[in-house]
Amino acid sequence: MQGDIALMIDSYASMKGNLDDRKFRALASSGPVRSQSTPDLATARESGVADYDVVSWNALFAPAGTPPEIVNKLNGALRDILADADVKKRLIELGIEARASTPQEISARLKSDIDKWQKVIEKAGIQKQ
């Protein structure tokens, strides 16, 4: 580290090594509730930033037109994997709070986040590129 970073916003997983080595100091977590990975770290909301809720997430998608029975089979397999106690424990150690959902739930989440961030972009006056 060169010592030239004043502020960084990133996932816990990507910063874990530097946090463990005390090269970085965490100020707050960005989700609405404390993270299982860092339960002693206050949220931005707890630190006084009202309604702050910025979390990253990942999802698995299949190509459009994939038969529903295939999607359901993949979704079931993913649910089984994420329900495994050893997998859960390891993911939390890495700073990943994995949750399985239904295809309908992830679709709704995607649409909701697009709407949320579109409003933020418009309010900030950021020009489309």
Side-chain angles (χ1 to χ4, degrees):
M1 308 277 23
Q2 294 178 341
D4 58 354
I5 297 174
L7 175 69
M8 180 174 172
I9 300 172
D10 206 344
S11 69
Y12 173 73
S14 69
M15 295 186 292
K16 184 180 183 324
N18 286 310
L19 288 166
D20 290 347
D21 292 344
R22 299 193 180 270
K23 292 179 180 177
F24 291 168
R25 179 173 58 113
L27 302 177
S29 63
S30 61
V33 297
R34 290 185 184 210
S35 170
Q36 295 175 38
S37 298
T38 54
D40 295 332
L41 182 61
T43 66
R45 281 184 183 183
E46 290 174 299
S47 301
V49 184
D51 299 324
Y52 196 86
D53 181 2
V54 178
V55 294
S56 64
W57 55 271
N58 295 290
L60 298 176
F61 292 90
T66 300
E69 60 273 10
I70 301 298
V71 171
N72 291 335
K73 185 170 185 159
L74 292 169
N75 185 259
L78 181 62
R79 286 175 173 278
D80 290 345
I81 292 165
L82 294 179
D84 181 270
D86 290 335
V87 171
K88 279 184 179 183
K89 181 178 182 262
R90 182 62 180 137
L91 290 173
I92 290 298
E93 290 169 359
L94 295 171
I96 301 166
E97 295 179 30
R99 293 180 209 65
S101 67
T102 66
Q104 296 77 18
E105 289 168 333
I106 198 62
S107 178
R109 173 68 189 260
L110 180 60
K111 289 174 186 171
S112 173
D113 273 11
I114 289 170
D115 184 54
K116 172 184 176 177
W117 293 111
Q118 182 178 358
K119 289 175 184 171
V120 168
I121 290 166
E122 288 171 0
K123 186 174 181 179
I126 298 171
Q127 298 296 314
K128 292 181 181 178
Q129 307 241 342

